[in-house]
Amino acid sequence: MIDQVLIHRAVRAGSLSGEDQKYGVPEQKKFPMPDADHVRSAIKFFNYVEPRYEEELAKAILTRMREYGLTFDDFTVGEENRFSKYIPEDTLSHHGILGQKWGVRRFQNEDGSLTAAGRDRYAKKDDRWIKRNADKIEEKAYKKSKREMQKVQKQLDKKYHVTSENERNGRRYMNEYNQNLAAIMNTKVSNIASPSGRAVKFVAKRGEYGVHMALADQGYDMSNVKNGVWDSGRVAYKSKVLEKR
């Protein structure tokens, strides 16, 4: 298993161009639903949608559910999930009273959290997906960031009074460059997620130029990961893919 930070390489499953993605919120290009697993993820993370878009997302989820042949027997919806109020009444009358929880108990608990089998199932899907897509995602994000990073480099050269290429190898210069690179690249992958619903993030490397690609849970505070070091203090050095344990 490759060394790991909640963080784990990833991107939304499906076309890398994004043209074929079925977004729950097209305006923001968020909550892609190219397959049944992504519909489940959209429901799981429904509370992260901005209130002004929640009705639009709910309608999109119900549409995709019909398209993929999903029913509420396929996953769990808890009372605390805002999507529960958009469940059709005919579905409620068939399955029980409002607030009842549904799900495949093998993969999800009643509160909507994943069981050990569910976590293992999605971990395997993420690993396969990463192997297929990680290099392409990182390369594309880096290319989109090059122009902005040229400006950053000029600012750093001025800040550290750089007059030669060798002077750019200083630890402080390198760390600051990597931090800026990770921040800019993260803006290029804001609409990408793995099959499990985790978001693609980049983290600055330590001791060498570049970034780690990672998978982070939605809402994870990336300030806890700096220069390839987890909030626990464990160093993630030279590992290509990181994943928080």
Side-chain angles (χ1 to χ4, degrees):
M1 188 76 177
I2 300 177
D3 211 3
Q4 307 177 355
V5 159
L6 194 154
I7 291 181
H8 194 181
R9 283 177 165 194
V11 80
R12 290 181 162 158
S15 167
L16 290 177
S17 68
E19 294 177 359
D20 298 326
Q21 297 280 16
K22 298 176 180 178
Y23 292 102
V25 185
E27 182 179 339
Q28 295 185 322
K29 289 190 175 182
K30 291 184 177 180
F31 296 94
M33 290 181 282
D35 52 40
D37 285 333
H38 277 72
V39 172
R40 296 185 181 94
S41 293
I43 293 173
K44 180 180 178 182
F45 296 108
F46 190 89
N47 286 355
Y48 287 100
V49 70
E50 295 178 39
R52 59 178 173 153
Y53 292 116
E54 73 171 38
E55 184 175 356
E56 179 181 8
L57 176 58
K59 290 180 179 179
I61 289 173
L62 293 172
T63 298
R64 297 285 84 79
M65 284 181 65
R66 290 192 293 270
E67 180 179 341
Y68 302 133
L70 293 175
T71 72
F72 287 98
D73 290 322
D74 295 317
F75 44 79
T76 298
V77 180
E79 295 177 57
E80 72 286 349
N81 190 319
R82 301 202 318 257
F83 176 64
S84 62
K85 66 183 179 183
Y86 294 99
I87 298 173
E89 290 186 9
D90 58 344
T91 301
L92 293 173
S93 63
H94 175 72
H95 290 279
I97 61 173
L98 180 62
Q100 180 180 348
K101 299 176 182 181
W102 306 272
V104 178
R105 301 298 180 232
R106 180 184 174 193
F107 298 122
Q108 285 187 307
N109 298 308
E110 289 192 356
D111 64 358
S113 61
L114 292 174
T115 62
R119 290 192 296 272
D120 183 60
R121 179 178 181 232
Y122 275 113
K124 290 178 180 178
K125 287 187 176 184
D126 279 355
D127 286 342
R128 289 194 296 269
W129 181 80
I130 286 167
K131 289 177 182 178
R132 291 195 305 268
N133 299 304
D135 290 338
K136 294 177 183 178
I137 296 165
E138 184 173 354
E139 181 180 357
K140 190 172 182 179
Y142 179 74
K143 285 183 178 179
K144 289 182 177 180
S145 305
K146 289 182 73 172
R147 182 171 295 181
E148 292 173 72
M149 285 307 300
Q150 288 173 350
K151 295 179 181 179
V152 169
Q153 189 169 48
K154 288 181 179 179
Q155 293 171 354
L156 292 177
D157 285 351
K158 184 176 181 180
K159 177 179 179 179
Y160 290 101
H161 308 291
V162 170
T163 58
S164 70
E165 186 71 28
N166 289 336
E167 292 177 340
R168 289 177 178 158
N169 292 327
R171 180 178 59 82
R172 292 177 63 189
Y173 187 105
M174 187 181 298
N175 286 345
E176 194 165 343
Y177 180 93
N178 287 351
Q179 288 168 7
N180 277 278
L181 178 60
I184 292 172
M185 288 178 67
N186 280 334
T187 66
K188 313 304 180 185
V189 294
S190 59
N191 64 330
I192 296 176
S194 71
S196 68
R198 287 178 173 177
V200 171
K201 297 290 183 181
F202 292 99
V203 181
K205 284 186 177 181
R206 300 178 73 247
E208 60 179 308
Y209 278 106
V211 295
H212 294 293
M213 185 186 288
L215 286 187
D217 285 345
Q218 297 289 343
Y220 181 75
D221 182 3
M222 295 304 291
S223 66
N224 289 330
V225 186
K226 294 183 178 180
N227 299 327
V229 181
W230 293 295
D231 50 354
S232 65
R234 182 180 174 193
V235 177
Y237 182 69
K238 284 190 176 179
S239 56
K240 187 148 184 156
V241 180
L242 310 176
E243 175 185 341
K244 186 178 171 93
R245 289 181 174 176

